[in-house]
Amino acid sequence: ATRGVIFDLDGVLIHTDDLHFQAWSEIAGRLGIPFTREDNDRLRGVSREESLEIILEIGGTQVSETEKSVLADEKNAIYRTLLRGLSAADVEPGVRETLATLRERGLRLAVGSSSRNAKMILERTGLRGWFDAVSDGENIVRSKPDPEVFLRAAEFLALTPAQCAVVEDARAGVEAAVAGGFTAIGIGDAGSHPEVTWRIDTLGEVLERI
Ligand code: BG6
Ligand code: MG
């Protein structure tokens, strides 16, 4: 039976997509690379460095490794400035209720995010206290679709992957969950992934699947 639930952060608990989009748009603009919202969707669940590679590939643009690291740092500085505007009001509707019900049912809860800003976002939005563990970009070597971030989350919860469900909005995240041996719950676009175990449209539906 399921004993733990691991939530992706960006796009599942909080809508930071638009902030990532604004920050990457500025970087792409400087490089003269056209960058659309559809392009931004490809960056879901993907690490900062790999996101930059995708943008450079869209532009057919080549830059040195040093410049890449400068660009990634600049993107993060812009993004973190935008994150300062984040508050508890930005938490998706139904999130706290869903987490409360899962806790009442005795499930262990974790966050599994590729982001190195995850803990800061959880603090700013007042969500940190709901989770028994946070596995994020700070404790992994390989980003989604590699299962590492979820495997660490399960470890932190002292559960096996088979005992945990993962909730994801990104295709890379669904792939990571499946590769790790987790029940994969896809929300929104990720729900159309062929390997998803359950498809949901709103977070509250998690309660019907666990
Ligand atoms: C993921 C986002 O949660 O974190 C990606 O979906 C992002 O779009 C990745 O690139 C890394 O985030 P950060 O905050 O470490 O730049
Ligand atoms: Mg996500």
Side-chain angles (χ1 to χ4, degrees), residues 42-113:
R42 288 173 59 194
L43 312 182
R44 282 176 197 261
V46 175
S47 72
R48 197 179 308 159
E49 291 70 21
E50 284 162 313
S51 296
L52 177 62
E53 292 293 347
I54 292 173
I55 292 167
L56 292 171
E57 195 189 297
I58 292 169
T61 307
Q62 291 192 4
V63 302
S64 69
E65 290 305 314
T66 316
E67 196 172 342
K68 279 181 196 171
S69 127
V70 170
L71 289 167
D73 285 351
E74 283 176 350
K75 184 270 176 177
N76 196 45
I78 301 167
Y79 180 58
R80 285 178 71 97
T81 304
L82 295 170
L83 285 178
R84 283 194 217 139
L86 213 63
S87 73
D90 294 295
V91 175
E92 293 283 284
V95 167
R96 290 182 200 86
E97 292 82 346
T98 304
L99 297 174
T101 308
L102 291 170
R103 290 199 72 107
E104 272 163 35
R105 292 187 192 171
L107 285 134
R108 293 181 206 170
L109 307 182
V111 167
S113 168

Side-chain angles (χ1 to χ4, degrees), residues 11-201:
V12 172
L13 301 174
I14 310 278
H15 270 321
T16 46
D17 295 342
D18 205 58
L19 305 182
H20 280 294
F21 178 64
Q22 287 178 51
W24 280 129
S25 292
E26 187 163 332
I27 299 298
R30 277 187 216 166
L31 295 164
I33 299 173
F35 182 64
T36 66
R37 280 181 187 275
E38 287 69 46
D39 293 331
N40 191 59
D41 284 343
R42 288 173 59 194
L43 312 182
R44 282 176 197 261
V46 175
S47 72
R48 197 179 308 159
E49 291 70 21
E50 284 162 313
S51 296
L52 177 62
E53 292 293 347
I54 292 173
I55 292 167
L56 292 171
E57 195 189 297
I58 292 169
T61 307
Q62 291 192 4
V63 302
S64 69
E65 290 305 314
T66 316
E67 196 172 342
K68 279 181 196 171
S69 127
V70 170
L71 289 167
D73 285 351
E74 283 176 350
K75 184 270 176 177
N76 196 45
I78 301 167
Y79 180 58
R80 285 178 71 97
T81 304
L82 295 170
L83 285 178
R84 283 194 217 139
L86 213 63
S87 73
D90 294 295
V91 175
E92 293 283 284
V95 167
R96 290 182 200 86
E97 292 82 346
T98 304
L99 297 174
T101 308
L102 291 170
R103 290 199 72 107
E104 272 163 35
R105 292 187 192 171
L107 285 134
R108 293 181 206 170
L109 307 182
V111 167
S113 168
S114 303
S115 173
R116 297 201 286 274
N117 293 299
K119 291 190 184 80
M120 197 256 260
I121 294 171
L122 289 168
E123 293 297 343
R124 288 207 70 89
T125 54
L127 285 176
R128 179 65 186 87
W130 290 100
F131 298 96
D132 301 295
V134 177
S135 172
D136 63 16
E138 299 282 357
N139 60 250
I140 55 170
V141 179
R142 292 169 301 276
S143 191
K144 301 168 189 177
D146 190 281
E148 187 179 9
V149 74
F150 295 137
L151 294 173
R152 294 303 302 278
E155 240 174 77
F156 294 158
L157 294 178
L159 296 172
T160 65
Q163 291 174 314
C164 299
V166 165
V167 187
E168 258 295 345
D169 72 309
R171 297 178 69 84
V174 170
E175 277 161 36
V178 171
F182 297 87
T183 298
I185 301 181
I187 190 162
D189 284 351
S192 61
H193 193 284
E195 289 189 274
V196 95
T197 318
W198 305 109
R199 185 214 158 110
I200 59 173
D201 291 313

